[in-house]
């Protein structure tokens, strides 16, 4: 089954990227993934913008094929293209304060100080997300090849506070 863009038939499904509910009637992206518990497929749902962030290639194809009237189509195309051009970008899962000083940055291999803002990485393979470690905020440009991460991190990091977002804004665009 191909992936789909469709109106949400209920308001119960949570977005796999930002973990927030997708409103009933809102357009959503449904990614078909192998069912881990047996035969057939399961569907993972995303807000459209979150799918552009995290599943850029399949989302881009599905967007090009849909006959639905999609709001903000140009922006969705731009964001998914960014993730196609910068292949590590879809791994940026969220920003958070380091809970300990033990994690090592995946880019520069130096430790990430306790309480520092860091970017958590997540790989999606066969539809399943797995933790991929962390990088320093300051290593974003070299690791991702772009600093255009603010929008996606703000969407997926509801626990951060205004001061944290100000700190992100100093480094990221
Ligand atoms: Zn979302
Ligand atoms: Zn680093």
């Amino acid at each position: 089954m191909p992936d789909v863009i469709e109106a949400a038939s209920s308001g119960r499904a949570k977005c796999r990227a930002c973990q927030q509910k997708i409103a009933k009637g809102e357009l959503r992206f449904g990614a078909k993934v192998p069912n881990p518990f047996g035969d057939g497929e399961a569907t993972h749902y995303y807000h459209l913008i979150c799918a552009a962030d995290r599943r850029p290639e399949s989302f881009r194809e599905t967007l090009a094929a849909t006959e639905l009237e999609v709001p903000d189509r140009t922006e969705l195309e731009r964001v998914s293209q960014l993730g196609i051009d910068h292949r590590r970008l879809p791994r940026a899962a969220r920003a958070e304060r380091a809970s300990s000083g033990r994690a090592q940055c995946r880019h520069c291999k130096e430790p990430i100080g306790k309480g520092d803002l860091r970017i958590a990485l997540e790989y999606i393979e066969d539809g399943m997300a797995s933790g991929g470690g962390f990088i320093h905020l300051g290593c974003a440009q070299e690791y991702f090849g772009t600093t255009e991460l603010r929008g996606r991190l703000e969407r997926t990091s509801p626990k951060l506070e205004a001061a944290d977002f100000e700190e992100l804004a100093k480094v990221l665009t």
Side-chain angles (χ1 to χ4, degrees):
M1 290 274 290
D3 298 340
V4 291
I5 291 174
E6 61 184 14
S9 50
S10 83
R12 286 193 303 272
K14 269 191 190 171
C15 172
R16 290 273 166 170
C18 71
Q19 315 297 329
Q20 336 242 352
K21 291 205 168 144
I22 302 169
K24 184 175 180 178
E26 186 181 340
L27 289 181
R28 67 185 178 188
F29 178 66
K32 305 294 177 187
V33 302
N35 188 341
F37 304 109
D39 296 338
E41 290 177 318
T43 306
H44 288 175
Y45 294 108
Y46 295 81
H47 294 107
L48 296 188
I49 189 67
C50 294
D53 284 343
R54 301 302 306 280
R55 312 285 300 248
E57 276 167 356
S58 54
F59 175 72
R60 185 67 193 256
E61 274 175 33
T62 311
L63 182 64
T66 186
E67 286 169 5
L68 293 171
E69 184 76 31
V70 179
D72 302 320
R73 185 186 274 265
T74 311
E75 176 65 4
L76 292 166
E77 284 170 357
R78 193 187 68 78
V79 170
S80 51
Q81 190 60 45
L82 198 67
I84 292 167
D85 293 343
H86 302 283
R87 303 197 62 86
R88 288 172 165 174
L89 201 52
R91 297 179 193 167
R94 68 190 168 277
E96 61 187 30
R97 294 266 169 206
S99 49
S100 79
R102 287 192 299 273
Q104 202 185 45
C105 173
R106 279 294 169 107
H107 179 68
C108 70
K109 313 296 180 202
E110 295 292 323
I112 300 173
K114 183 174 180 179
D116 287 356
L117 276 175
R118 65 185 180 186
I119 299 171
L121 307 175
E122 224 173 60
Y123 297 85
I124 297 179
E125 258 171 49
D126 290 335
M128 302 313 283
S130 58
F134 306 93
I135 66 161
H136 291 111
L137 201 52
C139 287
Q141 169 66 50
E142 283 188 41
Y143 182 80
F144 295 110
T146 173
T147 52
E148 198 180 328
L149 284 122
R150 244 172 87 198
R152 70 183 57 218
L153 294 177
E154 288 185 8
R155 283 190 276 282
T156 54
S157 311
K159 286 183 191 152
L160 292 188
E161 294 167 9
D164 301 326
F165 289 124
E166 276 172 34
E167 198 175 325
L168 287 182
K170 285 182 195 153
V171 184
L172 307 176
T173 46

